[in-house]
Amino acid sequence: MSNGKGYTELIAPATHYSYWLFCSCYICLFYFNRYYLMPGFFIPGRYGGYAAMAVALCTGIFFLQPFDRLLRQKWAVPPEGAEWVYVPPVIDITSLFIFFMIMALGAAITTTRRWQLTEQRALTAEREKIRAELSFLKAQVHPHFLYNTLNNIYTLALTKNNYTADSILRLSNIMRYITDDVIADYVPLPQEEACIRDYIALQQLRLRPGTVDYQVSGEMEHKLISPLILMTFVENVFKYGISKHLPVPVTIRLSIKDHQIDFFCCNRIFREPAPVNSCGVGIANTRQRLALLYPQKHVLDITTDNNLYTVRLTLLTD
C-alpha cells in the first residue's frame, strides 16, 4: 500500500480526529476560562489560583499540540507489517500562541462586560437620584401652588362672585394635570400651556380687565416640556407684581419655534420676593430642575432693572 490512494485512506481517519481535537480543545478552553476561571479566580482577586490553572492548561496544550496535529500527521497508522516510526516531539509555537490569544480574549470579554454592567448600574443610580430629586422638587411646588389658588377661590366665594363655579372647574383641571400628568419628566406642551391659561384665568377674576397681557405664538403640537417648569415664574408675577391700588399691567409671552421654546414675563416689583428658604419653593428649585432636565439646553436670564422683574427663558428641544 505504497501508492498515494492507499496512503490517503490510511491517514483520513486520523486527520478527522485531529480536526475535532483542535476545535473542541480551544472551544472548551474559551468557555472554561470565560465562565469559570475569570469569575471564580481572577475577578475575586485569587490571582495565584488563576495563574496555576492557566499554567496547567498551557501544559496540556503544549503536550496535545492541537494545531500541529491538524497541520501535519505525526501519528499516521502505518501499513500492515511496517514498523512504527518514532517522531520526536517539537514545540508547537502556534498552538501556544492560540492558547494565549484565547485566554486574553476571554479575559477581555469578561472585563468589558463587567465594565459595561458597572456603567449601567451607575447610570441607573444617577437616573434614580435625579428622579428622586425631581419628585422632591415637584412635591414642594404643588402645595404652594394649590395654597394660593384656593385662597383666590375662597375670596370669590365670600363675595358670592358668579365666576366661582367656573373657577372651581378651572382648579379641577389644574389639579388633574398636577396629579396625573406631572409624574412624567416631560409632557406635551399644549397641556402645560392649558394649565398656565387656567391659572391666569383664575387670577384675572380678582383683577381689573386688561391687567394681564398673555400671548402665545407658534405651533405647540409635538412639543414636549418639563411639567410646571414655567409655573414658578407665572406664579411670581401674580404674587409679587400685582397691586390692589395701581393698575399696572403684567406681560407674559410664550413663543414656540422649530427647536426652541421661549418664555418671557415682566412685571413691576411691588413686593420683594421672600427668601427661598422661607417658602421652600422659588427660582432656586426651578434652576435645579432646569439643570437636571435641560443640561446645556437652556438659558435663564432674570433681571430686576428699573424696578421691573423680567424673566427670559429659552429651552432647546429635539
Side-chain angles (χ1 to χ4, degrees):
M1 299 181 67
S2 60
N3 56 55
K5 181 178 179 180
Y7 185 74
T8 301
E9 291 175 352
L10 285 173
I11 68 171
T15 303
H16 184 72
Y17 162 80
S18 300
Y19 171 80
W20 285 110
L21 175 66
F22 177 87
C23 294
S24 59
C25 179
Y26 288 113
I27 290 175
C28 293
L29 175 65
F30 173 82
Y31 285 103
F32 183 74
N33 178 54
R34 171 75 172 83
Y35 293 104
Y36 180 74
L37 293 184
M38 288 297 297
F41 291 89
F42 189 84
I43 293 176
R46 300 165 59 186
Y47 303 117
Y50 182 83
M53 296 292 292
V55 170
L57 291 173
C58 183
T59 303
I61 293 295
F62 174 81
F63 285 106
L64 284 177
Q65 299 182 344
F67 181 79
D68 194 52
R69 286 172 179 261
L70 180 66
L71 188 63
R72 63 186 181 87
Q73 183 63 38
K74 290 185 179 181
W75 289 277
V77 180
E80 185 179 354
E83 296 182 356
W84 286 86
V85 179
Y86 173 75
V87 180
V90 294
I91 298 177
D92 188 358
I93 301 298
T94 305
S95 292
L96 296 178
F97 176 78
I98 297 176
F99 166 82
F100 288 112
M101 290 296 296
I102 292 293
M103 296 291 287
L105 179 61
I109 293 177
T110 303
T111 304
T112 303
R113 180 58 179 167
R114 287 186 61 84
W115 175 79
Q116 291 175 343
L117 291 176
T118 302
E119 287 291 314
Q120 185 177 1
R121 293 192 190 100
L123 291 175
T124 301
E126 185 66 19
R127 283 195 298 266
E128 292 300 324
K129 178 176 178 291
I130 292 175
R131 191 178 300 276
E133 291 179 0
L134 290 177
S135 298
F136 174 73
L137 294 176
K138 289 176 183 178
Q140 289 180 308
V141 173
H142 300 169
H144 188 246
F145 168 71
L146 293 176
Y147 174 78
N148 290 343
T149 305
L150 287 173
N151 274 346
N152 295 336
I153 294 179
Y154 176 73
T155 302
L156 292 177
L158 288 178
T159 59
K160 301 185 184 301
N161 194 296
N162 294 331
Y163 293 100
T164 303
D166 182 68
S167 300
I168 294 175
L169 179 60
R170 292 184 181 274
L171 178 60
S172 176
N173 293 335
I174 294 174
M175 292 181 65
R176 185 181 300 109
Y177 174 73
I178 291 176
T179 56
D180 295 342
D181 296 330
V182 301
I183 298 176
D185 291 336
Y186 299 94
V187 297
L189 181 57
Q191 296 183 16
E192 179 75 6
E193 193 277 330
C195 180
I196 295 175
R197 187 175 353 102
D198 286 337
Y199 180 85
I200 293 176
L202 287 174
Q203 297 290 351
Q204 283 180 316
L205 293 176
R206 64 184 180 90
L207 301 175
R208 298 180 182 180
T211 301
V212 181
D213 180 14
Y214 175 59
Q215 296 183 20
V216 179
S217 61
E219 181 60 43
M220 291 188 294
E221 296 297 328
H222 310 296
K223 293 290 184 181
L224 298 178
I225 191 172
S226 175
L228 301 179
I229 201 72
L230 307 177
M231 189 54 65
T232 300
F233 307 117
V234 176
E235 191 177 10
N236 283 345
V237 166
F238 294 97
K239 187 174 182 181
Y240 303 111
I242 298 297
S243 173
K244 297 181 179 179
H245 308 289
L246 299 176
V248 179
V250 298
T251 303
I252 301 175
R253 297 281 190 273
L254 182 61
S255 176
I256 301 94
K257 302 177 182 178
D258 290 339
H259 300 285
Q260 183 173 311
I261 299 174
D262 294 318
F263 175 81
F264 170 86
C265 66
C266 181
N267 61 271
R268 186 174 175 182
I269 302 175
F270 290 100
R271 294 172 52 199
E272 289 296 329
V276 175
N277 294 335
S278 65
C279 61
V281 293
I283 305 302
N285 285 352
T286 303
R287 290 185 185 275
Q288 291 182 37
R289 295 187 63 200
L290 289 170
L292 291 171
L293 294 173
Y294 294 93
Q296 309 299 323
K297 292 185 177 182
H298 76 277
V299 177
L300 177 61
D301 181 30
I302 301 177
T303 60
T304 56
D305 300 333
N306 300 322
N307 203 35
L308 293 176
Y309 193 86
T310 304
V311 176
R312 293 181 176 87
L313 173 62
T314 299
L315 301 177
L316 301 180
T317 62
D318 296 332

